[in-house]
């Protein structure tokens, strides 16, 4: 379906980024890392002013910013995106982010909001709903977005395999993909969905960004892994990330950390370690 998107070209980003938290503000203000970029959750800033919004504006003057939405609920149609997208558009115009992303998930039903990004059943009807919502989002902000693959905790009945589903969504909507490597690993462990097969089936040109993070094991669920973003990146995820770099090249890569926050200096060490790994794969595939 056609889209009336802006002809403006967003700035480009490369290298490794970090999740920004207000508690990091003082340390970041003293930082000199020219290739670093930061991600913030869109909804934490699009509906507020005052010190929080001013803090983001200051950050955007020094570093590229990625906006990562968690409230779009693009996987279902029981809500109205209109007001939300007005707020997002205003933030995009102010910050001029290098990347804008959302999730292949749903979190709203009959005006009730859930504190989770719930995976959708990959049916053809669900695909059409997702594409319509992505198109609405992109038309509202005047730019293409990336959409992120979900974590799977239980097996659902699907009509379309996940790589095929995501590629068709990208083709028909004009969006790109944000591939969360940790989500792939957790889905592999939790549901037996092969992470390496997934990577092999996704062509490099459609991948705009990669996420990596640590996770927790839920002892009550017999070893099921939880996408908590609360730990350093484990070797299991780093090894899978290397596979992704081999397949796609050194795409922009974000370290997610949303809980159990360390001091910023510890996170910066993890950033430098991942940057060194990424630099091994800086040959250009796509």
């Amino acid at each position: 379906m056609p889209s009336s998107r802006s002809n403006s070209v967003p700035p480009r980003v490369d290298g490794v980024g970090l999740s920004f938290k207000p508690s990091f503000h003082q340390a970041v203000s003293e930082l000199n890392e020219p290739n670093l970029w930061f991600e913030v959750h869109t909804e934490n800033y699009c509906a507020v002013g005052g010190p929080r919004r001013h803090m983001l504006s200051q950050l955007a003057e020094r570093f590229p910013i990625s906006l990562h939405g968690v409230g779009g609920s693009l996987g279902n149609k029981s809500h109205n995106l209109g007001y939300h997208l007005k707020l997002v558009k205003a933030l995009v115009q102010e910050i001029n982010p290098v990347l804008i992303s959302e999730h292949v998930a749903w979190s709203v039903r009959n005006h009730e909001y859930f504190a989770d990004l719930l995976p959708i059943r990959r049916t053809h009807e669900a695909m059409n709903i997702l594409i319509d919502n992505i198109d609405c989002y992109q038309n509202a902000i005047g730019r293409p977005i990336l959409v992120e693959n979900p974590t799977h905790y239980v097996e659902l009945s699907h009509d379309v395999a996940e790589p095929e589903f995501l590629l068709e969504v990208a083709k028909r909507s004009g969006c790109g993909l944000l591939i969360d490597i940790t989500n792939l690993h957790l889905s592999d462990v939790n549901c037996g969905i092969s992470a390496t097969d997934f990577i092999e089936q996704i062509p490099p040109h459609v991948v705009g960004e990669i996420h990596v993070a640590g996770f927790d094991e839920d002892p009550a669920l017999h070893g099921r892994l939880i996408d908590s973003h609360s730990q350093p990146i484990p070797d299991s995820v780093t090894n899978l990330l290397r596979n992704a770099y081999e397949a796609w090249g050194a795409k922009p890569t974000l370290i997610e950390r949303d809980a159990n926050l360390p001091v910023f200096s510890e996170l910066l060490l993890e950033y430098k370690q991942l940057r060194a790994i990424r630099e091994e794969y800086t040959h250009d595939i796509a």
Side-chain angles (χ1 to χ4, degrees):
M1 59 188 66
S3 295
S4 55
R5 301 202 174 94
S6 168
N7 292 324
S8 62
V9 179
R12 292 180 61 86
V13 68
D14 200 5
V16 176
L18 292 172
S19 297
F20 176 78
K21 305 300 177 189
S23 61
F24 297 157
H25 180 250
Q26 182 59 40
V28 170
S29 68
E30 301 168 356
L31 190 63
N32 183 20
E33 285 285 341
N35 295 320
L36 177 61
W37 50 280
F38 287 99
E39 178 189 273
V40 299
H41 287 164
T42 307
E43 288 75 14
N44 286 343
Y45 295 90
C46 69
V48 300
R52 182 183 288 267
R53 187 71 164 255
H54 181 64
M55 183 186 301
L56 180 60
S57 296
Q58 287 183 319
L59 187 69
E61 290 176 359
R62 299 186 57 225
F63 298 96
I65 300 297
S66 171
L67 296 179
H68 188 50
V70 295
S73 195
L74 301 182
N76 70 313
K77 60 181 180 180
S78 66
H79 67 300
N80 188 338
L81 277 170
Y83 177 69
H84 177 69
L85 291 179
K86 287 181 180 179
L87 299 176
V88 175
K89 178 181 179 181
L91 184 63
V92 168
Q93 291 177 333
E94 178 182 341
I95 300 301
N96 192 26
V98 292
L99 296 168
I100 304 169
S101 55
E102 251 290 353
H103 294 80
V104 178
W106 65 277
S107 57
V108 182
R109 183 173 177 83
N110 297 328
H111 307 290
E112 182 179 0
Y113 286 78
F114 302 95
D116 288 291
L117 296 166
L118 302 168
I120 62 176
R121 288 187 60 238
R122 294 186 303 272
T123 65
H124 294 287
E125 179 185 6
M127 181 185 293
N128 290 334
I129 291 170
L130 179 62
I131 290 169
D132 285 346
N133 283 336
I134 292 171
D135 200 61
C136 180
Y137 203 112
Q138 294 180 143
N139 279 321
I141 66 173
R143 283 177 48 179
I145 66 172
L146 307 174
V147 294
E148 178 182 335
N149 57 297
T151 302
H152 298 284
Y153 296 101
V154 296
E155 295 184 38
L156 301 175
S157 173
H158 300 286
D159 296 340
V160 186
E162 190 165 36
E164 179 185 347
F165 184 90
L166 293 175
L167 291 175
E168 184 66 16
V169 167
K171 177 182 177 181
R172 289 172 55 188
S173 70
C175 75
L177 300 182
L178 189 172
I179 303 299
D180 191 308
I181 298 299
T182 301
N183 291 359
L184 293 182
H185 173 65
L186 270 57
S187 298
D188 196 329
V189 173
N190 292 340
C191 298
I193 302 168
S194 173
T196 54
D197 287 352
F198 182 105
I199 290 171
E200 290 173 359
Q201 293 177 60
I202 300 295
H205 73 272
V206 77
V207 181
E209 183 183 357
I210 291 171
H211 275 185
V212 288
F215 51 83
D216 286 314
E217 181 175 326
D218 191 330
L221 294 176
H222 307 291
R224 193 145 305 208
L225 303 182
I226 306 299
D227 186 28
S228 59
H229 302 172
S230 63
Q231 304 295 332
I233 303 165
D235 290 343
S236 56
V237 172
T238 301
N239 293 336
L240 195 59
L241 176 64
R242 287 182 177 274
N243 292 345
Y245 284 159
E246 287 281 359
W248 305 328
K251 299 293 183 179
T253 305
L254 181 93
I255 300 173
E256 289 189 291
R257 193 64 178 264
D258 294 317
N260 190 27
L261 293 177
V263 295
F264 185 74
S265 59
E266 291 183 16
L267 195 59
L268 194 61
L269 286 176
E270 191 171 21
Y271 155 79
K272 291 178 179 178
Q273 291 166 357
L274 185 57
R275 187 181 64 185
I277 292 172
R278 185 183 177 278
E279 286 174 354
E280 299 174 21
Y281 300 88
T282 52
H283 55 285
D284 210 1
I285 289 182

